[in-house]
Amino acid sequence: MIASWLWRRWFGILTLKALVALAVFGLVVAPPDSEQGDAARLLYVHVPAAWIAYLAFFVTALASALYLWPRTRNDSWDHLAGASAEFGVLCTGLTLFLGSVWGKPIWGTWWQWEARLTTTAVLLFLYLGYLALRRLGGVSSQRRNAIAALIAFIDVPIVHFSVSWWTSLHQQGSVFNDKMDVTINDGRMAFTLWLGAGAFTLLFAWCCLGRMRLLGIESKNSELELEAAIAQRTGVPS
Amino acid sequence: MDHNWGYVAVGYVGTLAVLGTYCAVLISKLRKAPTEKHEQR
């Protein structure tokens, strides 16, 4: 128990340090972009948030598939799916917010109903719906939630490839282009972006572990409450 | 000074507020949650 507490604390401190380093590199060390000026600093958070949203929804889909598979069915997969989706929604919201704040000085508008932005907004609402569904409970709710998570994941590749499939105001890949050639030449800019990806991955892992633990406790408590209610009604102690 | 710094500040402070609130709520709930030792009892 002490080892687990120390590990969680050590991991939390490492995550915090990575996020502080990201803020320092993003705001001070990285140079302003030759075309976008200082507004490009928003991309050091916007791009990692979008990447981690993809990762979180992938983890949700994978955990849901593992829950549905009879041989690997375990409540922990359901808890991981829920915890990961929650962080994914947070990151998708941040992606839209930061993109909008970046878009005003660079595009001249807060919002445009174009392919990437619209599909990302749909993604946010899909997973908000998934989280709402999780709260409904009921018989076979975990199975129903897992199927919903797999359906919602269909939008992730659509969001990613929307800039290639349709005419879009949003630029192509921020780090790699269609030919997978790196498009960032400045070492400090590239490092800051990778630092952002690392810091957000650590935060995702830390939040997921904590949230999974809480979901486990909530699930155990509701089972105990149900057993107590049955015992009270039938008069037979469980 | 680049006038875009205002947007940068809004973006970074907004991100800090969102992530900070989420983590603070999570930590608070984890602290209130029963420990494994309590659960065994």
Side-chain angles (χ1 to χ4, degrees):
Chain A
M1 186 190 150
I2 292 170
S4 152
W5 181 82
L6 274 175
W7 187 83
R8 272 206 300 270
R9 193 179 168 82
W10 171 83
F11 193 28
I13 290 169
L14 181 72
T15 305
L16 192 62
K17 281 183 177 176
L19 288 168
V20 170
L22 171 62
V24 171
F25 271 81
L27 293 171
V28 183
V29 180
D33 184 71
S34 56
E35 290 176 14
Q36 298 178 17
D38 287 307
R41 297 181 190 283
L42 289 163
L43 301 180
Y44 301 126
V45 188
H46 168 77
V47 176
W51 284 349
I52 301 309
Y54 287 169
L55 175 69
F57 295 144
F58 172 73
V59 170
T60 299
L62 185 67
S64 300
L66 287 167
Y67 180 81
L68 286 176
W69 188 254
R71 286 185 184 179
T72 50
R73 182 162 296 171
N74 190 301
D75 282 353
S76 299
W77 293 126
D78 176 63
H79 298 157
L80 175 62
S84 187
E86 206 170 276
F87 196 80
V89 163
L90 207 65
C91 279
T92 310
L94 277 177
T95 303
L96 288 172
F97 164 69
L98 289 161
S100 182
V101 173
W102 173 87
K104 182 61 183 164
I106 304 302
W107 289 350
T109 180
W110 296 103
W111 183 262
Q112 190 76 35
W113 289 103
E114 58 86 66
R116 174 58 72 83
L117 273 66
T118 308
T119 51
T120 308
V122 169
L123 187 71
L124 176 69
F125 287 110
L126 274 173
Y127 278 92
L128 277 173
Y130 167 74
L131 291 180
L133 198 65
R134 286 185 65 88
R135 294 180 71 88
L136 281 179
V139 183
S140 318
S141 63
Q142 290 171 315
R143 192 167 175 273
R144 177 197 65 201
N145 298 339
I147 294 168
L150 289 173
I151 293 170
F153 188 70
I154 295 170
D155 194 36
V156 172
I158 296 174
V159 172
H160 184 71
F161 292 110
S162 60
V163 286
S164 311
W165 291 345
W166 297 292
T167 307
S168 174
L169 182 62
H170 196 283
Q171 74 264 33
Q172 297 281 319
S174 306
V175 179
F176 304 105
N177 61 18
D178 276 352
K179 294 173 184 169
M180 293 306 280
D181 293 330
V182 177
T183 57
I184 298 176
N185 296 319
D186 188 288
R188 286 169 297 174
M189 285 179 162
F191 176 79
T192 308
L193 205 52
W194 289 117
L195 179 67
F200 267 74
T201 306
L202 285 173
L203 185 65
F204 165 60
W206 186 82
C207 286
C208 245
L209 288 173
R211 194 69 186 94
M212 267 182 82
R213 187 162 174 266
L214 274 181
L215 285 170
I217 293 167
E218 281 169 15
S219 163
K220 207 170 182 179
N221 283 348
S222 62
E223 272 174 31
L224 288 173
E225 279 170 19
L226 183 67
E227 279 175 16
I230 291 169
Q232 197 178 18
R233 179 165 281 197
T234 58
V236 181
S238 54
Chain B
M1 193 181 180
D2 191 337
H3 66 279
N4 290 339
W5 269 109
Y7 293 104
V8 176
V10 169
Y12 275 73
V13 171
T15 304
L16 181 69
V18 171
L19 293 179
T21 306
Y22 183 76
C23 290
V25 171
L26 191 60
I27 291 168
S28 157
K29 283 189 172 182
L30 281 169
R31 283 193 173 166
K32 282 179 195 164
T35 61
E36 283 149 34
K37 203 174 178 181
H38 287 136
E39 282 168 20
Q40 280 167 7
R41 281 178 195 168

